[in-house]
Amino acid sequence: MKTTLIVIQNDADHAEAKTLIEKLIGSHDPADQARLTAQARLIEAYEWARWPRRIPTLPDLLSYLMDQHGLSRADLVPLLGTASRVSEVLNGKRGLSMTMVRKLHHRFHVSADLLVSPPKRRKMAA
């Protein structure tokens, strides 16, 4: 198949590029496979720029996990300690201790990196 690569600058180009990928994916021609790889990289670059990934906040992550596992705030008490502590964590007012991180990691099988908040930057005095 003789075709050129599509430089993606908008959503219409993105859709066209994905259609091209569908056509190239079944080919065994080495030139088509090279085009496929190059076009896939162009699509990936556009998607990263268009829809940047972000690390979820701890409250967002815990809310998502609770939803996926059908849990309530009360179900987090054994993992976080008390109902007030659960409330503080879910409202973003409190971080997690390492004990809490371990319990959540074992309960939900998520990376501990997602549960540990990055250190807050201190303001330097002038």
Side-chain angles (χ1 to χ4, degrees), residues 6-126:
I6 299 165
V7 177
I8 307 168
Q9 297 178 338
N10 54 48
D11 289 344
D13 293 342
H14 182 248
E16 186 179 349
K18 290 187 342 184
T19 301
L20 175 59
I21 289 285
E22 289 174 12
K23 290 177 185 175
L24 293 172
I25 206 152
S27 176
H28 298 292
D29 179 13
D32 287 345
Q33 290 298 307
R35 285 187 198 96
L36 173 69
T37 300
Q39 190 65 63
R41 288 182 179 154
L42 289 170
I43 289 172
E44 180 182 33
Y46 175 78
E47 289 175 352
W48 274 95
R50 177 80 165 85
W51 301 289
R53 285 24 168 211
R54 69 172 180 86
I55 296 173
T57 64
L58 180 59
D60 288 344
L61 176 63
L62 291 177
S63 294
Y64 173 79
L65 291 170
M66 289 168 55
D67 180 59
Q68 292 299 303
H69 293 266
L71 302 176
S72 68
R73 286 175 172 242
D75 295 319
L76 292 184
V77 171
L79 302 171
L80 302 182
T82 64
S84 63
R85 191 163 291 146
V86 170
S87 181
E88 289 173 342
V89 170
L90 291 176
N91 289 324
K93 294 179 180 176
R94 179 193 255 297
L96 299 174
S97 70
M98 288 310 295
T99 301
M100 293 176 200
V101 168
R102 280 187 205 97
K103 288 179 180 180
L104 290 167
H105 167 72
H106 289 297
R107 169 62 175 90
F108 296 114
H109 306 287
V110 296
S111 170
D113 291 344
L114 292 174
L115 300 168
V116 177
S117 301
K120 294 185 180 191
R121 293 182 167 218
R122 288 201 240 178
K123 294 181 182 178
M124 297 181 60

